[in-house]
Structure formats: C-alpha cells, structure tokens
Amino acid sequence: MYLGDVAWPDLEEYFETESLALVPLGSTEQHGPHLPEATDHLIAEAFAREAADRTGYLCTPTINVGVSPHHKQFHGTMWADAPVFRDYVESITRNLAYHGIDRVIYVNAHGGNVEHLREVGRRLRDDEVLYAIEWMWDESIPDLVDDLFEQNGPHGGPKETSMIQYLDPQLVHEDRLEDARDGGVASVEASETVKHGSRTFFDAADNTENGVLGDQTDATAEKGERLFEAATDQLVQLAEWLAGRDFEDLLPRDHV
Amino acid sequence: MYLGDVAWPDLEEYFETESLALVPLGSTEQHGPHLPEATDHLIAEAFAREAADRTGYLCTPTINVGVSPHHKQFHGTMWADAPVFRDYVESITRNLAYHGIDRVIYVNAHGGNVEHLREVGRRLRDDEVLYAIEWMWDESIPDLVDDLFEQNGPHGGPKETSMIQYLDPQLVHEDRLEDARDGGVASVEASETVKHGSRTFFDAADNTENGVLGDQTDATAEKGERLFEAATDQLVQLAEWLAGRDFEDLLPRDHV
Amino acid sequence: MYLGDVAWPDLEEYFETESLALVPLGSTEQHGPHLPEATDHLIAEAFAREAADRTGYLCTPTINVGVSPHHKQFHGTMWADAPVFRDYVESITRNLAYHGIDRVIYVNAHGGNVEHLREVGRRLRDDEVLYAIEWMWDESIPDLVDDLFEQNGPHGGPKETSMIQYLDPQLVHEDRLEDARDGGVASVEASETVKHGSRTFFDAADNTENGVLGDQTDATAEKGERLFEAATDQLVQLAEWLAGRDFEDLLPRDHV
Amino acid sequence: MYLGDVAWPDLEEYFETESLALVPLGSTEQHGPHLPEATDHLIAEAFAREAADRTGYLCTPTINVGVSPHHKQFHGTMWADAPVFRDYVESITRNLAYHGIDRVIYVNAHGGNVEHLREVGRRLRDDEVLYAIEWMWDESIPDLVDDLFEQNGPHGGPKETSMIQYLDPQLVHEDRLEDARDGGVASVEASETVKHGSRTFFDAADNTENGVLGDQTDATAEKGERLFEAATDQLVQLAEWLAGRDFEDLLPRDHV
Amino acid sequence: MYLGDVAWPDLEEYFETESLALVPLGSTEQHGPHLPEATDHLIAEAFAREAADRTGYLCTPTINVGVSPHHKQFHGTMWADAPVFRDYVESITRNLAYHGIDRVIYVNAHGGNVEHLREVGRRLRDDEVLYAIEWMWDESIPDLVDDLFEQNGPHGGPKETSMIQYLDPQLVHEDRLEDARDGGVASVEASETVKHGSRTFFDAADNTENGVLGDQTDATAEKGERLFEAATDQLVQLAEWLAGRDFEDLLPRDHV
Amino acid sequence: MYLGDVAWPDLEEYFETESLALVPLGSTEQHGPHLPEATDHLIAEAFAREAADRTGYLCTPTINVGVSPHHKQFHGTMWADAPVFRDYVESITRNLAYHGIDRVIYVNAHGGNVEHLREVGRRLRDDEVLYAIEWMWDESIPDLVDDLFEQNGPHGGPKETSMIQYLDPQLVHEDRLEDARDGGVASVEASETVKHGSRTFFDAADNTENGVLGDQTDATAEKGERLFEAATDQLVQLAEWLAGRDFEDLLPRDHV
C-alpha cells in the first residue's frame, strides 16, 4: 500500500494489524553524461513501491535529496549536509512511531546515505523507539551483479544504467554510453587516490572527469529487469522476515 | 526544465544563463476521508512542474514531507519537527547556490510550512547567499477562490478537493464528500476554539472530528482546472518578475 | 501577584492553590519617529501586570527583547535570532513547571513573536509538560480596533500610539505624529510588495521609509484607555477560563 | 541614555559618535525570606541606568532572567538553562554590532551569570565582532564591602539587603531579617560541603535551609547608598576607560 | 584499577560491587619556556592512577585536551571549544552509567576546565543519571601550597614546575627557570588588567609575555613530592567519602 | 616530535617550516577476554609516535575514547555519541590551524571511528581550513594481513592480538586465547546477521557472545612486529607524500 494515495480512514486497519513501513530514499545528483540526476531516487522508489505492492506493506513517499556533497562539482547535484540529513530522516521516522510503526526498512539507492541511515537506525533502536535498518538494493544480489558486469561502476556505471534503461528508458542518453565510459574511469582503484591505505579523495571529481565509473556500454534493459526482479525478491523476503520478528527481539541485547 | 530528468552536462547552459529555481514543497498528511495523504505535495509539484514547463525555469524534485504535527492524530500523517524541517530546507537551498542559483521560489501547498519557509528565506537573505520566497498557490488568486466557494476550507475543503479532482481524480473518494462535510466543521471559527483573542488549539483534532473543514460537495474538477490555470499563471508571472531583478536589489536594504 | 516583588515563602500558598502564570513578552525595536523603542514590552507588561492585579494570578518579569530582525535597519532595534528566542522562552517556561505551573499565557505585544511562541507552546504541550498559549492584545478586541481607527497600522500606527499615549505619555513625541504618517505608508498593501501572492519583502525597510504604517494623528490617550480596558477585560476572562480547565483537557487529544 | 525611552531617529547621533553599550543582566530567583525575587535584576538595572545617566552612554533594557538552577528548590526561582542563556545573550549582543556597537559592559548583579558572560565575551571577541566584558558591582569595591560587613553573604546577605533597602525599601521585609540570618548559614564554608578540595554541592539548598547566607541584620539603607555610590563611580570610570580604547587594542593579541 | 589495562571479564566484579570512577582530565597547552605542553594532563593522570592504585577504585584513560583557548597565542596549545568540550565529557560520563557507574570524580589539573566540569556535573545530576564532581588537586591542599611557595603562579609557576620535576624530571628545562620567571609576571594582579572590578583580559597573552606566572626558581622535585603525596591523600579520602554515600543522598534535594 | 613533551618556544621552528600533524585516535572498548580495553588507542599511539620519531613530523597526544556504542554490552566499554565525537575532533583539529597546521593524518586504530573522521575531514576541507585524512593501519597493508592470518578478525582477532603481544605483551592474557576463539565467532559472516543484503545487527553483541572474532591462537608477537614495521613504513610514506603537496592541490576541485 502506498501511503500517499490513501485517505486516513483507510489506513486504520493497517496500523491495527501491521507495524512495518518501507521508506524509499535516494539522491538527486549527477550520474554522468548519460543518466538523469534522479537516478537514485527513481530506483529506490521503484523497489519500495514494487515490494509494497507485492506484500501489502506500507510504503511512504520518497526522500528525494540525500547526502551528495561529493558530487557537487557537477551541475545540478543537490544535497543536504550530513548532520541535517540524519536529523531529518530521524525526525520523520521517529514520528512514524506515533502511528504504531515499530520497524522500518530504508529502501536506499545511494551509497552516500548508507552510514547516515545506519546512525539514525542506532539512535532509534538505542532509544527503544523503533528498529530501522538500511537496505541497498545491489548489496542484496552481489553474485548476480558480478555475473552481469565486468565492472559495475558503481556510480553511474552499467549497473545503474541498466536499471534506468529498464525503469524509465527515455531518461537514458543511449548515444552517450561510450562517452560516459571513455570520459570516466574504470573504478576507484584506477584513480590511484588511495595512498598507503588512506583515501586521499573526498569528491567524485577527485577521481573522474565526468563523474562516473565502469563500462556503461555493458548495460541493457534486460539486465536491468533481471536486477530489478532479483533484488525486489530479496526486499520482499527481508520485509517478511522483519515483519515476523517480535519487537523485543529487535531491541538491543542486555548487558552481559 | 525538470532537474530530475536531465543529465549534468545538459544543465550547464541553464546555470550559465539563469539563476532561478522552483522548489516544490508539500506535506504528507491526512486530508479527510475523501482525499489522499499526498494531496499537498501533489498540488505543489503540479504547479512547479507546469510553471517550469511553460517558462523554461528549473524545477527541482519535491520535498514530500513537511511540518504537520497538527495532523498527527489521524492515521498516516508524516512530519518533520519544525527546527529540523527548517534546517533541511535551508541546507538544500544553500547548497543550490554552489551552482549559481541566487533566487528560489518555494512552490508550497501546505499552510503549515509557510512560516518556516519564511524563516529559512530570512536566514539565506541575511547571509546574502540567496533570495528565497514562499509562494502559496491559493494566496495568489484570493478573488477566484472566494468566487468559486462559499467556504473554501481551507484544510481538505472544496478548494483542495477540486484540485485533486482535476489533477488526479482517481485519488478522490467521490462517494465520501458528504461525509467529509458532515463529519467536519465549516471553518475554524465554527469550532469556537479562539478564546478572547487567543488560539487555544494546536491540532486539527482540537477543531474537527474528521480532520477537515468546509463543504466538500462544492468541489468539481472544472473548478480545479480554473484554479490550476489561474494560479499557474500567477506563478509564471512571479518567476518572470523575479528572474528580471538584479541580485543586489533582492538583498536586505542598507541601514538607514 | 507580581513574582518579582515577593519573597519566596510568600509564593508557597500560590503554588499550592494555583498553577497559572502570565509571562509578558515584547520587543525593543524601532516604532517610528514618534514612539519609544520599548513600546511593545511596555504594552505587554502593562497588560500582564494589570490582569495579575485584578485576578491574583501570578505575573513574571518581562522578556524585553524578542524577534525583530525585520526592523534592524532602524537605529537601536534589538533582537534575538529566532531559534535562540524560541529556546530561551522554552527553557524559562519549562523550568516554571518545576514549581507546579502547568499553564501559561504569553502576554505578547509584538507580532513578530507570535509564531515563535506558538511553536514553543507546541513543544511544551506535545511533551506534556505544560500548556502555553499566546495572547496578543489587539487580536482580542478586533471590533473595537476597527471602530476606533481607519487604518490601525499595525506597526507604530495609531493603535500602538494611543496605547503609549495612555500608558506613558511623556514617551510619545506628539509633535512628530504628522511626520510619522507622512513618512510612512498607510498599510503593507500600499507598499505593493506582495507580488502574485508571494510576500517579496522581509524587512519593514522594504515597505516603509520611516518604519511605521497607518495614520498616527488618529491616536489619542482616550482611545488608548479604551483599548487597554477592553483588552485587559479579555485577558482577565482568558485567565479565568484557562485556570478553570482540567490539565488533562489541555493536553493533546488521543490518536483517533 | 536609555534605549527603551527613545525613538529611533534620536539614536542616530549616538551611533555616529559612540560605540559603547551597557547591558544590565540579573536574575529572578529566591533571595531568602526578606528580599524580593527581583533583587538581582533591580540592582543591575539601577547601576546601568545610573551610569548611563551620568555619562551619556547607552543603556539597553534589562535581561531579567539568568542562570539560576541552583536556587530552584525555592518557590518562584526562574531560570534559563546555561547553554540557552549564553546563546540568547550572545545573539542579542552580536546583533547590537549591526548598529555599530563594538564594546559592551554586561552590568551584572548575579554571580551565577559571570562565567557564562565571560564565555559569550570570548566568542564575540575571538570572532572579532565586539568586545564585551562582565562587571559585577561588588567586585569593583571589595574593600568597602569588607569594611561595611562582617560577613557579606554573598547570596541574600547584608550586602544585597542594603542595596534593596536603598533602592526600593518597601520590597524588604524588615521584620524578617533576624529569621533570615537564623534560618540560613553564615557562609558557604560554614556548610562544610567542600570536601577535600571538591565542591560537593550544586544547589543553594545543599548549603542552607532558607536559601541565604550572612547576617542580614547588619544591613542598612545608608550602607546601601554608600555601596551604590561607590560602585556606580567604578562603573562610570570603567565605561570611560573602555570608550577611550581603540577597537584594535581590544581584539585578541597576535600569535607570538 | 586502570580500565585501559584490563579485559572486560575482569571488570565484572568491580561493576557488581562498586559504582565509582575516577576520570582524569587535563589540557595540552603552553606552560612557559620550561615546562612541557602535557603538564596538566600528566599531573591529572598521575593523581588519578595513584589514587586508583591505593584504593582499588576504577580509573579511566585520560582526556588529554581541554578548554584552553586562552593560551592559543603560544605555539602548540591545543583546545576544544567550550560547548564541544562539555558535550564530549558529558557524553562519555553519561555512557559510563550504562555499566552501573553512578558517581564520578573528575580528577582535573587545568583551571580552565573547572566551570565546564561543574556544568556537566549539574546536567547529569539534575537528570538523576549520575553524580559527578570536580576535584582540582591544588585546591585540596591550599595551606601546603601557601607554605611552600611565595607566589605559586598559578599557571606554569613553581607549583606546577615542582610537580613535573617530581613526576617526569627530564621534561623540565631546568636551565630556563630564571628566564621563565623574568619573562613572565608575578601574578595576574601584577598585570593590572582587572579594571574597576572587571576582568578586561581574556587570554594569557593579555597578561604575560611568555605565558607563565610566579617564581619558577622556587620549585624543587622534593616540593613536588610533598604536593603529590598530600593531594593524593586528599583524593583518596574524597573517593572513600564519596563511595560511602547512598546514591539518593547525592541527588538534588526536593523542592522546599 | 611529540607535542606533549616540548615547551612552546621549541615548537616555533616546526610551525615555521612544517604544517603537518599526526593525530592518534583509538577507542577504549572491550576487546574480548584476552586483550585490554586500551587496545585501539595503544596501537594508534604507537604508530603515530613511531612515525613522528622517524620523520620528525609533529605528533599530538591521543584521543583515547571514540565511537564505540556497538560494544556497550561488554563491561568497561567507553564511548562518545557520534555527533559529539565528530564535533570534538573537528574542534581540536580546526584549532590546530591557528598555529599554521594545514594538513592532518588521523592515525586511527578503531574501525568505528572511520566514517566520522571522514566526515570531519570533509567539513574542514570544504571550509578550506585544513586537509585531514584518515589512516587505518591495517588498511595500508592488506596483503601482509592476508598472508599472516587465515581469519584476521577483525575486532579482537589475531591481527590486533599480535599487535598488543608485540607492543605491550603483559597486557595480553595468553592463557585465554583459545577461549577467545571458542567463545566468539570466526567472522561477521558466520553470524548470519546480514539478511537479504541488509545488516540487521547494530552491536557486537548481536554477532558474538564474547565480543570478538577470528582465531586468536594464530597470533604471535613476531607477527605483531612485522605488522608494525610494515604499517609504520606506510605511514611514514604517507606523511612524506602529504607534506610534499601544495595546499592548493589539497583543496576541493573547482566546479566543472
């Protein structure tokens, strides 16, 4: 069920019988010359809405802007500063508990959000308000990702390109895939900006001229569909697993 | 132009020649038994995207959750606490300045956001970073609103109902319009919760049983269309007026 | 009873039998060429002290500086930034609860404080600490204000001028009333700074050359006395109404 | 000149020729069975207004509530939490700089404010915004205080009692001076709550039953007058000294 | 017992039977031409570790950097801004309560930390989490300090010099003691920066050319040993006194 | 050069010729039944001091307590909440810039600090104050770590055990190594708490009974020495590389 579409009386039964919410989060940031800035939040929303449709769990509207200062040198990247983003997500999530939600899956499609969502999850769990975990679609299907792509990217690479080719093909500039590959770098390692074990870069612009990594010509809509189906399946299973837990078992363990 | 749809190189020309952005903001909150929780952000997004289409100015993705604690007693209302919302909007807006944006219109459809957007606008202007003003669609066409409705609501009343009937009719429960009217109140005044000049209520639930005001049976999609066209026209004019100002003239005046 | 005048043992009986406090708040800011910068806090204090005298309810000392950045271009305007003001008022109010106070009327005479006092009131009520409402004197007697003045101002207009003429006449520059009128504007509307429904101004200096609105020559001490008596009567009634409520009834309603 | 009394045009000359402000701060807190809760802010305001009258320097309205949690066990004590108080004073002071004020004397009569005003002063000086120092009346005349009283208190003792006997005698309960002395303690030392060099107390209530220290029967209005005259003289000299400094000399020294 | 040295299972018995912790805090800041920057944290750690050894109470690792902006003009001084320092110490202390610690002695050797540790102690006590008091070694033995030195300094004077001569003699530049004395000042008073009762200085550099006070040639390791033994004895007694209190008796007293 | 050992005049030359500082950070937290709670900060300090000795670069005192809430269930774990830790490290680092430091290596030995140090580094770099990067010793020598151990842990495993066996052998309980292995888990994966791509654990106690991972019996002091030498060599090279950069090249790149 998508929360945005329904009127409040029609939510009563859900809150009486279920306590799980899927919260999609992405980013609005450069994804190279070939992909739209909405890439991450489109992907997150697609997964969360699909899993909600298949399971009946509640999906909220999407948080479209995330923590993306590392892409700021490229036109149009939007971002919230990290402490502000954490507080915003925490506030929204904490307030969901008012309706009886006690477990949340952050359906996330932006790597830069991960650690912040984990920190928010800790705050809410340590306060015993709510149990919120972060799910990043590609981390649920690492073998398939490895099978499909020589070099998946990650940022703006064939993995994300395939997804948008499948989800919203007219947003992909198919004629720029070679340029995307040739103007970027194959991987972070290829940039040689990790020195003696220390990451000396902070921004995508420290590593790549056009903002992306990997071989975009390796992407197809068919691969996107396989990724989407496989990861949706994982998300569905995660939601069902989570819904089946006792809340007490989700709280922090006692002191030894 | 919608920022979410484009790739970064295609924004270069815009940032070289223009410095205005439209940022849609709404809420996800109860709108009575007949309207969806997304009502406000759907309306805000529709205006911002339409005005952007007509003028060519840049429109960003929508901030879907706003300051709505006053609707919390009704299932599904989402909200960010006010200080957190202000900081989030401020951070996103301030960061837009990195790309050269120096003037923003917050295209808003939720009354509860108004004062917070004004406060953010002050911070940014007093810091001489950027000039951001708040535009609330119905305040741009007060005469038309008065002409069309005996009692416009405001919250969840015929004004907002007409808009959703026009923008996304399948989200309106037409069969509940009478119930919406009969289970709510005609106006805030009718609740008699302003005592001796003091507002003694804080929440919608202090004033109304079902969360809404006004006579919803007075709504039609045709009225919605008239409202949409008229207010879009106002927004277009506002954007053009704003784009035509010198930045210096938008900054605070000097000390007398 | 005025808290500042009494020794602590003489408050014991009050805290045992009553739980209401009147907290006066104003501003220290420009009020045109004819009125003193203390105008707002003098008015707030006068109302709160008078109502306390007539009813026996407790009145605290006055918070003299409020949220007035919009008057900063004029010499002498003092202000606290909005987030800081909210936290200061919240802290003081929250700490009153330590003595058993569970309901507060913010006796306010500065429009710029209103939304901030409402936000503080929400925080305290949602935390179930204390119920605090804002009372603005002129909003309690709108009909009388309309009867007495063609154009009441509001800021530094005949309404406020009459009040100071009555409360502390030597602080009014009677010889400057015509200048005040001629150097200002009749109303915000007259400044034509609301464009297509959007307030494009942030500061008084955006609207008026001398900082004030309305026709100051319309003011008299007699009108001030009528305003003072009428609004004091409203405040007394509000205090008595509030004192008569059960605390439980002042808390937020339950979820539907 | 008292800022609260004047209209903005009459401040223009001051800000053109001077850059000093006196800001009175006190507390609203228990001062034993014999003195009013306003004691500290009455004293601070009296000094600041008198020194302003004698010198022509600008005096602002008073900040009536300070950092007094250590008196909370006694009815009526008001306080702001320390971080909030610091931010409030900082904000007000920082904003004075907008009018050209670059040096401030905090005319203080509450020991509990001292360290916080020092911290605010450091922030403003290190930011090179403004130079603000704290002046506590009794620390300017230690010899006279020692001459006049065996045991000055400090809190609610004969020193403060004498001051209120002089400034506002009807607020002193003369018939309770013996009780004040007999129900309190002679000094903090007498409470024996400093253990092995560590202060083990946090509140006045840890040391004294009625909230005060010293021998209140030693107080007279005549002593109060001598204190007031002597300390006012010190404040006047301090203001004149400070006004004579170059702003550059008030800023932090350079790194060695 | 020193917490840093032990494995977690070996702490179980302590937390079952005791609830006191010693937390050493100092600074890293200039101490003149003759003493190392670590002076304060070396001293604090020495006292805390010694008292822990003698009593069996738990000693934590040391917080090495404190509130020292007033020494910033001299090379190498490190500091945390005061609000940040308070929050850091509060957070660490509050989290100790998770293991059952309910009383803490801040073993402190830096005057600039005192007021901040007191403020943290108040927060924790008022929240009824934990009772934390500050102990400054030299304040526990004022008579001995007075006996041993004409002019003890305080900062970088013979008192601190003697301590380092005893604790870690190779860190003292014995050949610079005369220079230290001759390039500094005898006392704060000698700097004549207290004007009419107001401290007009904020930094050590406002009072002294080389950063130190007192007569360093008056220091010896033997005096250091006497100071160390005497103050350790005081700390041991304080710890035993504190361990013997009921927790209820350490909490704030009830309202009168 | 170790900052804590020297007197301020002896730092003058360093700050005139160099602008790099090594700042060691660790944690104080459980490391299983066999290792001391100080493990991480002992390791960090050892690397930083050794690299400083070999290169002449400045090393500051150690920040002994980090972000370790995930170990709280085990006796003695100390931690600062993440936002507080970030602010503390930021404040100390920012203030180093006052002396001319413009590049910092956080010599870190606690995985839980990594993301926070990265965030602090971003703040300082984006503000163009200072360039601070995080170095984690074991990430500089991944091949050697893989060669030496079947399963390195990481937390409390043979890698860290070897290090303490080498650095401070009497702190290792050699007789508990088998217990450490048998009571813990081989790896995070072995705990099967990553579900469908989502980490469902927040605390070490969610994964392991005794707080540690890996096969501790695989540790020796000789392996510790090899690790220490190899990683020190990496740190020395990193410091020399960093010292050789132009500051301009360390700042964020320009907008494309």
Side-chain angles (χ1 to χ4, degrees), chain D residues 156-176:
Chain D
K159 184 178 61 180
E160 293 189 337
T161 305
S162 297
M163 284 295 294
I164 301 298
Q165 284 172 322
Y166 172 62
L167 293 174
D168 205 345
Q170 84 269 27
L171 294 179
V172 182
H173 294 269
E174 295 286 340
D175 57 334
R176 299 179 183 173

Side-chain angles (χ1 to χ4, degrees), chain D residues 5-161:
Chain D
D5 281 352
V6 293
W8 72 257
D10 300 328
L11 283 160
E12 184 166 11
E13 188 188 343
Y14 185 83
F15 288 119
E16 278 173 1
T17 54
E18 302 288 349
S19 65
L20 184 150
L22 304 171
V23 178
L25 301 106
S27 73
T28 299
E29 68 181 27
Q30 71 87 9
H31 273 77
H34 61 302
L35 286 180
E37 306 248 354
T39 294
D40 285 350
H41 70 250
L42 289 175
I43 294 174
E45 187 165 318
F47 278 115
R49 298 285 285 269
E50 183 70 15
D53 283 351
R54 293 188 188 180
T55 60
Y57 293 121
L58 189 69
C59 175
T60 72
T62 302
I63 297 177
N64 292 316
V65 178
V67 182
S68 308
H70 48 301
H71 292 293
K72 70 180 174 181
Q73 281 90 353
F74 299 94
H75 302 296
T77 294
M78 298 179 69
W79 75 98
D81 294 334
V84 171
F85 175 80
R86 286 188 292 261
D87 288 350
Y88 184 70
V89 176
E90 179 188 348
S91 184
I92 288 176
T93 311
R94 191 178 288 271
N95 291 334
L96 282 174
Y98 190 83
H99 301 298
I101 295 295
D102 66 11
R103 61 205 71 191
V104 161
I105 301 172
Y106 293 128
V107 180
N108 180 34
H110 173 51
N113 291 341
V114 172
E115 71 194 43
H116 308 297
L117 298 173
R118 291 282 294 170
E119 183 168 330
V120 170
R122 165 169 296 285
R123 294 182 197 173
L124 295 166
R125 190 198 196 203
D126 283 358
D127 286 355
E128 306 204 348
V129 168
L130 189 145
Y131 177 81
I133 48 176
E134 185 266 351
W135 179 83
M136 183 86 175
W137 68 276
D138 52 339
E139 293 187 4
S140 74
I141 48 169
D143 294 340
L144 178 59
V145 169
D146 282 351
D147 285 354
L148 291 179
F149 309 108
E150 283 283 306
Q151 175 60 45
N152 71 62
H155 184 73
K159 184 178 61 180
E160 293 189 337
T161 305

Side-chain angles (χ1 to χ4, degrees), chain D residues 69-76 82-83 86 105 114-123 125-126 131-136 139-141 195-203 205-209 233-235 237-238 241 251-256, chain E residues 69-76 82-83 86 105 114-123 125-126 131-136 139-141 195-203 205-209 233-235 237-238 241 251-256:
Chain D
H70 48 301
H71 292 293
K72 70 180 174 181
Q73 281 90 353
F74 299 94
H75 302 296
R86 286 188 292 261
I105 301 172
V114 172
E115 71 194 43
H116 308 297
L117 298 173
R118 291 282 294 170
E119 183 168 330
V120 170
R122 165 169 296 285
R123 294 182 197 173
R125 190 198 196 203
D126 283 358
Y131 177 81
I133 48 176
E134 185 266 351
W135 179 83
M136 183 86 175
E139 293 187 4
S140 74
I141 48 169
K195 308 270 187 205
H196 309 291
S198 177
R199 282 174 285 169
T200 68
F201 63 93
F202 284 91
D203 293 331
D206 296 325
N207 287 327
T208 160
E209 290 302 311
D233 188 54
Q234 292 293 312
L235 179 55
Q237 290 183 54
L238 177 65
W241 172 83
L251 293 180
R253 297 207 177 185
D254 292 337
H255 202 293
V256 296
Chain E
H70 48 300
H71 292 294
K72 71 179 174 183
Q73 281 90 353
F74 299 93
H75 302 296
R86 285 187 294 260
I105 300 172
V114 172
E115 71 193 42
H116 308 297
L117 297 174
R118 290 282 294 169
E119 184 168 331
V120 170
R122 163 169 297 286
R123 294 183 197 173
R125 189 199 196 203
D126 283 357
Y131 177 81
I133 49 177
E134 184 267 349
W135 179 82
M136 182 84 178
E139 293 186 7
S140 74
I141 48 168
K195 307 272 186 203
H196 310 292
S198 177
R199 281 174 287 170
T200 67
F201 62 93
F202 285 90
D203 294 330
D206 296 326
N207 286 328
T208 160
E209 289 303 310
D233 188 54
Q234 292 293 312
L235 179 55
Q237 290 184 54
L238 178 64
W241 171 84
L251 294 180
R253 297 206 176 187
D254 292 337
H255 201 292
V256 296

Side-chain angles (χ1 to χ4, degrees), chain F residues 41-237:
Chain F
H41 70 253
L42 289 175
I43 294 174
E45 188 165 316
F47 279 115
R49 297 286 285 269
E50 182 70 16
D53 284 351
R54 294 187 187 180
T55 60
Y57 293 120
L58 189 68
C59 175
T60 71
T62 302
I63 298 177
N64 291 315
V65 179
V67 183
S68 307
H70 48 300
H71 292 293
K72 69 179 175 183
Q73 281 90 353
F74 299 94
H75 302 295
T77 294
M78 297 179 70
W79 75 97
D81 294 334
V84 171
F85 176 79
R86 287 188 292 261
D87 288 349
Y88 184 70
V89 177
E90 180 190 348
S91 184
I92 288 176
T93 312
R94 192 178 285 273
N95 291 332
L96 282 174
Y98 189 84
H99 300 298
I101 295 295
D102 65 11
R103 60 203 72 191
V104 161
I105 300 172
Y106 294 127
V107 180
N108 181 34
H110 173 51
N113 291 341
V114 172
E115 71 193 43
H116 308 297
L117 297 173
R118 290 283 294 169
E119 184 169 331
V120 170
R122 165 169 295 286
R123 293 183 197 172
L124 295 166
R125 189 199 196 203
D126 283 356
D127 286 356
E128 307 202 349
V129 167
L130 189 145
Y131 177 81
I133 49 177
E134 185 266 349
W135 180 83
M136 183 86 176
W137 67 276
D138 52 339
E139 294 187 4
S140 74
I141 48 169
D143 294 339
L144 178 58
V145 168
D146 282 351
D147 285 352
L148 292 180
F149 309 107
E150 283 284 305
Q151 176 58 45
N152 71 61
H155 184 74
K159 183 178 59 179
E160 294 189 336
T161 305
S162 297
M163 283 295 293
I164 302 298
Q165 284 172 321
Y166 172 61
L167 293 174
D168 205 345
Q170 83 268 29
L171 294 179
V172 182
H173 296 267
E174 294 285 342
D175 56 336
R176 299 180 184 172
L177 297 185
E178 289 189 22
D179 277 359
R181 179 195 59 200
D182 298 342
V185 288
S187 65
V188 169
E189 291 68 31
S191 301
E192 299 187 350
T193 48
V194 178
K195 309 270 187 204
H196 309 292
S198 178
R199 281 174 287 170
T200 67
F201 63 93
F202 284 92
D203 292 331
D206 296 325
N207 286 328
T208 161
E209 290 303 310
N210 68 358
V212 288
L213 308 111
D215 179 359
Q216 286 77 9
T217 65
D218 197 17
T220 67
E222 290 68 31
K223 290 183 180 179
E225 183 173 11
R226 287 185 60 191
L227 295 168
F228 185 73
E229 284 301 319
T232 297
D233 187 54
Q234 292 293 312
L235 178 55
V236 164
Q237 290 184 54

Side-chain angles (χ1 to χ4, degrees), chain B residues 183-254:
Chain B
V185 289
S187 65
V188 169
E189 290 70 30
S191 300
E192 299 187 351
T193 48
V194 179
K195 309 272 187 204
H196 310 292
S198 177
R199 280 174 288 170
T200 67
F201 63 94
F202 283 92
D203 293 331
D206 297 326
N207 287 327
T208 161
E209 289 303 310
N210 68 358
V212 287
L213 307 110
D215 179 358
Q216 287 76 8
T217 64
D218 197 16
T220 67
E222 290 68 32
K223 290 183 180 180
E225 182 172 12
R226 288 185 60 191
L227 294 168
F228 185 72
E229 284 301 319
T232 298
D233 189 55
Q234 292 293 312
L235 179 55
V236 165
Q237 290 184 54
L238 178 65
E240 286 169 349
W241 171 83
L242 182 56
R245 300 280 78 70
D246 286 337
F247 183 57
E248 289 305 310
D249 293 341
L250 299 172
L251 294 180
R253 297 208 177 184
D254 292 337

Side-chain angles (χ1 to χ4, degrees), chain E residues 39-56:
Chain E
T39 293
D40 285 350
H41 70 252
L42 289 175
I43 294 174
E45 188 166 317
F47 279 114
R49 297 286 285 271
E50 182 70 16
D53 284 350
R54 295 188 187 181
T55 60

